[in-house]
Amino acid sequence: MSSSMSDSEDISEFGSIVERITKGEVPMKNIERELICPVCKELFTHPLILPCQHSVCHKCVKELLLLGHEDSFTDAGSESSTPGSPRSRGASPSTERLDRLLRSGSGTPSGWKRNSLTPRITTFPCPGCQHDIDLGERGISGLFRNFTLETIVERYRQAARAAVAIMCNLCKPPIQEATKSCLDCKASYCNECFKVHHPWGTPKAQHEYVGPTTNFRPKVLMCPEHEMEKVNMYCEVCRRPVCHLCKLGGSHANHKVTSMSSAYKILKEKLSKSIHYLISKEDQVKKQISDLNVLINETKENGDKATQEANQHFEKLFNILEERKTEMLRSIEETKKSRLENLQSQMDEYMGMLENSGLVGYAQEVLKETDQSCFVQTAKQLHTRIQKATESLKTFHPAADSSFDEFSLNISKEEDLLRELSFDGVPSVPVIDQSQSRVYNEGLICWLPCEDMSPTDHYILEYKKLDAEAETFWQTTDKVYGNSKVVCDLDPNSMYSFRVKSCRKSVYGPYSQEVVFHTPPAPVFSFLFDEKCGFNPERLLLSKNRESVESVAGLTLLLGAERIQMGSYICLDYIIGDTGITRGKHFWSFHVEPHSYLIKVGVASDTKLQEWFHHPRDTSSPRYDHDSGHDSGSEESCYDPSQPFTLITLGMGKLIIPKGSSTPTDYNNRVLPMPYHIGICLDYEKGKVYFYDAENMVCLYERQVDCTGTMYPAFGLMGSGKVHINEFITTKCLVYSE
């Protein structure tokens, strides 16, 4: 009884939705979309819950498993539907028989085992998410029916079809309309029949009844693996209800489970919060729907435009080919005609050399002339012709060539070009990877390959400087055959926008989303950590390439802790860059690990560094520490503008602005989230140092510093901590040029 009441509470919130449907406040198609089986595309009928939590009609699961083979499980219950269902117009069969067949081997042919309902193939892709679903040995019988979804589908049908009347199952003609349904008897009754079959004072009077329905769900959800056990726990690993036998020795023995009431409370609270969040974002959803409608219209227009342009391009190609074809055929025909005429003329000439024919016959007739003067007059020109004919016999050359090789076309290059025309679709859009990209005096822009994973011929990177006062234009790099590109000669303290597109078979995809980077305010200063000057190898670990340093708590720190009294602490271990600055304006950046306890970063002069390194103190009172911040007067002297060093404190994911700065000095304004990349800019001539959020190139703090000597990048570490110097683009350029 309590379980049924809980189930009723589960769907109570949907009752208001159904009421809104009947009033026309909610479009039915919006609700129906959630109640459609992904296989048959119709309203769910006896849906089963797959391991991936998607639901599919029982009949559809069978069809996915059987793959065209006959199955002994041919119970009509899998085809059942309620009145008004678009899947069936027949009478509603017994769902009790369906549950009984799902949980037992009854009704199967003799000689079959209990799990013979399951075909040999028990794996299939989920129609909803396409993940492979393995039902195991139990097959369909190991799946839960989604009774909540069944109830919602039925209530939706009743609301959508103006509540089709459900008739009494026991009335004699004329049959009356049912007024209630008994969940124990699994039948619907009119008022008179209900009184007759549920008389007062009998056990049937205690049966549970609801409003008229044809969907009789069990009062208690039973375990599909242990048919006689109720489910009373929820497996958090498999995300499904289980019974105590499943937990004790079944497939969920080593899984984490919670009580059903706890899972119910947690899941209902999560669902309620999610629903409330979506409702609160209704305006945002409407705006995005509007944006999608715009995109749909643009897609239609651009698709039609692309089709029109493609037709035009191919028409141009066809016209050019047709012109060339006509010209070539005409040239071939003219050449053919000319050569035939020459050959025919030559053949006629040779025919004349035959006896009693042509030239020879004419010469024979001339020889009969007896008048000497007349003979000489004619014979001279005839003799010349005879001599030419004789010479032609000795060196026979056809008057024309029968070959037409000069008209043979080599179109292999053109064929390759035509084959490069891609009809496989436009390449997808690459994504610029901001976490891997770096922009300093030069920019290293990295991007992720196209999502479709198809091979890309090359990429094109474009960039332009953003200037509010002047119009700028996109600059295009050469073809890029990898997933990164170095861009040189960027102006300092400027903003640049980058975008990239891919090309496959001469077809370019759309541009990626533009990404904006801010260049540093000064040229990059390259250095490595100095392993000689003041470096303490007992408490600092330096990487082989000297680009990172880590502070570790060793035995020295442990022994020193014996001497620590109240109000004292271990001093910082300093390390500096191996290159100093004596002029100009320079910028460098680095990354501090978020777990670091205390790290100070900044600049210091060579004279101050000698003082720190030549007068170390294992333990010191804060009153005597140069950067303690206590009321000994050290704070004020530490931040004197004439000081030869400036440091800020980082640690525990925070960046602390020193006291005495121009910014407000209250704690909340001085403590900022630690940026992922921190930049420092030193202007030697002006004697100023700037601290930046290097990700967005935002100045967090600036201060005067005495630059009378050589200034070095300085780092102080205490406790657990690690600093990485950012790899600069110039180094990457050398790698790429190899």
Side-chain angles (χ1 to χ4, degrees):
M1 184 76 176
S2 60
S3 176
S4 178
M5 292 179 63
S6 298
D7 293 336
S8 299
E9 292 177 1
D10 284 343
I11 61 173
S12 60
E13 295 183 3
F14 292 94
S16 60
I17 297 178
V18 175
E19 292 177 2
R20 292 172 64 190
I21 293 174
T22 57
K23 296 178 181 180
E25 299 177 4
V26 178
M28 289 185 293
K29 63 179 181 179
N30 293 349
I31 304 298
E32 187 175 0
R33 184 170 57 244
E34 303 297 328
L35 308 179
I36 295 296
C37 172
V39 178
C40 62
K41 305 301 181 184
E42 298 189 19
L43 292 176
F44 282 107
T45 302
H46 298 306
L48 301 178
I49 303 177
L50 301 179
C52 61
Q53 304 302 307
H54 290 104
S55 294
V56 179
C57 293
H58 171 264
K59 176 178 177 294
C60 296
V61 175
K62 281 181 54 183
E63 292 173 350
L64 290 172
L65 285 174
L66 293 176
L67 300 175
H69 296 285
E70 291 294 329
D71 185 15
S72 62
F73 182 52
T74 55
D75 178 38
S78 62
E79 297 277 4
S80 66
S81 63
T82 56
S85 168
R87 292 194 57 175
S88 175
R89 302 299 183 211
S92 175
S94 171
T95 57
E96 182 179 7
R97 170 169 167 74
L98 173 63
D99 293 329
R100 186 170 66 253
L101 288 173
L102 284 173
R103 292 191 173 88
S104 67
S106 62
T108 60
S110 59
W112 279 40
K113 296 182 179 180
R114 174 180 170 181
N115 63 355
S116 61
L117 285 174
T118 306
R120 292 182 180 178
I121 300 177
T122 60
T123 302
F124 62 93
C126 170
C129 62
Q130 299 304 315
H131 285 92
D132 287 339
I133 302 299
D134 189 357
L135 300 182
E137 295 182 356
R138 296 186 59 84
I140 298 177
S141 61
L143 299 177
F144 280 106
R145 277 177 61 190
N146 195 337
F147 292 109
T148 301
L149 180 57
E150 284 188 42
T151 304
I152 297 170
V153 169
E154 182 189 1
R155 297 184 67 173
Y156 167 76
R157 283 195 179 106
Q158 293 178 1
R161 299 188 178 277
V164 176
I166 298 176
M167 310 307 292
C168 177
N169 296 133
L170 300 175
C171 271
K172 295 180 180 179
I175 300 175
Q176 301 296 316
E177 183 178 342
T179 57
K180 54 180 66 70
S181 296
C182 178
L183 297 180
D184 295 274
C185 301
K186 292 183 172 52
S188 298
Y189 302 90
C190 63
N191 286 332
E192 295 300 325
C193 292
F194 186 81
K195 292 177 182 179
V196 171
H197 292 277
H198 297 78
W200 289 103
T202 64
K204 284 192 174 184
Q206 304 300 320
H207 285 187
E208 181 183 358
Y209 62 90
V210 294
T213 181
T214 57
N215 182 32
F216 297 102
R217 55 195 290 175
K219 299 174 66 174
V220 179
L221 195 60
M222 308 300 289
C223 177
E225 295 187 21
H226 309 94
E227 290 84 357
M228 303 305 295
E229 299 295 330
K230 303 176 183 177
V231 294
N232 53 6
M233 291 180 286
Y234 181 79
C235 178
E236 296 185 0
V237 178
C238 302
R239 297 184 298 173
R240 60 177 291 169
V242 296
C243 69
H244 70 283
L245 293 181
C246 294
K247 177 58 179 173
L248 289 176
S251 57
H252 306 270
N254 297 322
H255 294 179
K256 183 180 179 180
V257 298
T258 59
S259 64
M260 189 63 69
S261 59
S262 176
Y264 170 81
K265 182 179 179 180
I266 293 173
L267 293 176
K268 188 168 185 178
E269 182 179 355
K270 287 182 178 179
L271 181 60
S272 299
K273 287 182 178 180
S274 299
I275 293 174
H276 290 317
Y277 176 80
L278 289 177
I279 294 175
S280 65
K281 298 295 182 179
E282 186 173 357
D283 292 339
Q284 181 180 348
V285 173
K286 289 181 178 179
K287 181 182 181 302
Q288 292 175 353
I289 291 175
S290 177
D291 294 341
L292 289 174
N293 283 328
V294 172
L295 289 176
I296 289 173
N297 293 331
E298 289 180 352
T299 302
K300 292 179 180 178
E301 294 176 0
N302 292 337
D304 294 340
K305 182 179 179 182
T307 301
Q308 182 179 359
E309 291 179 352
N311 286 329
Q312 292 175 353
H313 291 325
F314 278 98
E315 283 296 329
K316 289 181 179 179
L317 291 177
F318 294 154
N319 292 337
I320 293 173
L321 289 174
E322 192 64 34
E323 290 177 3
R324 301 304 298 167
K325 174 184 174 183
T326 302
E327 182 178 347
M328 189 170 188
L329 293 179
R330 179 179 55 79
S331 179
I332 292 174
E333 189 63 30
E334 291 177 353
T335 303
K336 172 185 172 184
K337 182 180 179 181
S338 174
R339 290 181 180 181
L340 288 175
E341 290 177 353
N342 292 336
L343 290 172
Q344 187 64 45
S345 175
Q346 187 179 21
M347 189 176 69
D348 292 342
E349 184 177 345
Y350 274 79
M351 290 291 293
M353 297 181 190
L354 298 177
E355 187 178 1
N356 301 323
S357 144
L359 181 62
V360 174
Y362 175 66
Q364 290 175 344
E365 292 298 325
V366 171
L367 288 174
K368 296 177 181 181
E369 177 64 49
T370 58
D371 187 301
Q372 294 182 356
S373 60
C374 290
F375 176 81
V376 171
Q377 183 183 13
T378 306
K380 182 61 179 176
Q381 189 268 342
L382 180 60
H383 183 259
T384 302
R385 291 180 60 192
I386 293 293
Q387 282 184 325
K388 287 183 178 179
T390 303
E391 291 295 330
S392 67
L393 286 175
K394 296 178 181 179
T395 57
F396 175 73
H397 292 290
D401 189 0
S402 62
S403 173
F404 281 76
D405 290 341
E406 66 269 30
F407 293 100
S408 177
L409 294 178
N410 180 10
I411 59 173
S412 57
K413 186 182 298 185
E414 288 75 9
E415 287 179 345
D416 292 339
L417 290 174
L418 289 174
R419 289 192 182 97
E420 286 181 0
L421 293 176
S422 174
F423 304 101
D424 298 331
V426 179
S428 58
V429 183
V431 178
I432 294 180
D433 188 353
Q434 299 187 55
S435 63
Q436 298 296 323
S437 300
R438 296 286 182 271
V439 174
Y440 299 105
N441 336 40
E442 298 165 332
L444 173 66
I445 307 301
C446 304
W447 54 86
L448 302 176
C450 302
E451 294 180 355
D452 55 13
M453 300 306 292
S454 299
T456 299
D457 295 340
H458 62 269
Y459 296 91
I460 295 294
L461 177 66
E462 296 184 358
Y463 64 98
K464 70 175 179 179
K465 182 179 179 180
L466 302 180
D467 192 340
E469 298 180 356
E471 184 180 4
T472 57
F473 302 94
W474 289 100
Q475 301 182 56
T476 303
T477 64
D478 296 332
K479 294 179 180 179
V480 183
Y481 297 96
N483 293 331
S484 62
K485 176 67 176 178
V486 174
V487 180
C488 303
D489 301 326
L490 300 179
D491 295 334
N493 200 23
S494 302
M495 297 182 68
Y496 282 85
S497 181
F498 296 85
R499 65 185 186 184
V500 64
K501 63 180 179 180
S502 59
C503 177
R504 185 191 307 137
K505 296 182 179 180
S506 302
V507 176
Y508 286 94
Y511 285 104
S512 67
Q513 184 176 0
E514 295 181 21
V515 176
V516 177
F517 289 98
H518 199 302
T519 57
V524 168
F525 179 65
S526 298
F527 67 92
L528 298 173
F529 286 118
D530 194 336
E531 60 182 352
K532 299 178 180 178
C533 182
F535 173 65
N536 187 346
E538 294 182 354
R539 294 198 290 262
L540 296 180
L541 295 180
L542 192 61
S543 63
K544 291 183 179 180
N545 56 11
R546 296 192 290 136
E547 291 182 352
S548 64
V549 62
E550 182 176 7
S551 173
V552 293
L555 182 61
T556 305
L557 181 63
L558 184 62
L559 294 175
E562 279 189 312
R563 304 193 299 272
I564 298 178
Q565 304 298 326
M566 186 67 67
S568 299
Y569 63 91
I570 301 299
C571 68
L572 294 166
D573 293 302
Y574 284 95
I575 189 170
I576 64 173
D578 61 356
T579 307
I581 299 173
T582 56
R583 62 180 179 178
K585 190 175 181 180
H586 305 274
F587 177 88
W588 63 93
S589 67
F590 50 89
H591 166 65
V592 175
E593 291 291 339
H595 69 267
S596 301
Y597 175 67
L598 190 154
I599 295 180
K600 288 183 176 290
V601 298
V603 295
S605 66
D606 51 356
T607 55
K608 190 64 179 179
L609 291 170
Q610 290 177 5
E611 176 186 339
W612 290 348
F613 293 143
H614 288 87
H615 302 284
R617 290 168 292 182
D618 289 337
T619 59
S620 60
S621 169
R623 180 171 296 275
Y624 298 103
D625 187 83
H626 59 80
D627 195 23
S628 66
H630 285 254
D631 57 357
S632 61
S634 62
E635 180 95 32
E636 286 72 12
S637 61
C638 174
Y639 296 113
D640 186 346
S642 62
Q643 66 187 8
F645 71 97
T646 293
L647 301 170
I648 64 171
T649 302
L650 304 168
M652 301 177 66
K654 304 295 182 182
L655 183 149
I656 302 176
I657 302 295
K659 291 182 180 180
S661 63
S662 58
T663 57
T665 57
D666 60 281
Y667 178 80
N668 292 331
N669 288 329
R670 290 200 306 119
V671 178
L672 305 175
M674 183 170 65
Y676 187 81
H677 292 289
I678 301 161
I680 297 178
C681 179
L682 175 64
D683 192 331
Y684 192 91
E685 279 72 24
K686 291 185 178 180
K688 295 195 73 173
V689 61
Y690 308 83
F691 296 85
Y692 282 85
D693 174 357
E695 288 289 299
N696 306 308
M697 214 55 66
V698 176
C699 183
L700 304 175
Y701 174 63
E702 62 180 78
R703 179 144 209 101
Q704 290 291 134
V705 64
D706 182 13
C707 296
T708 54
T710 302
M711 306 298 293
Y712 288 88
F715 303 83
L717 297 87
M718 188 177 76
S720 176
K722 192 170 185 180
V723 180
H724 307 267
I725 301 175
N726 283 343
E727 184 179 6
F728 295 113
I729 308 304
T730 51
T731 306
K732 291 183 179 290
C733 281
L734 295 176
V735 175
Y736 280 28
S737 61
E738 292 178 354

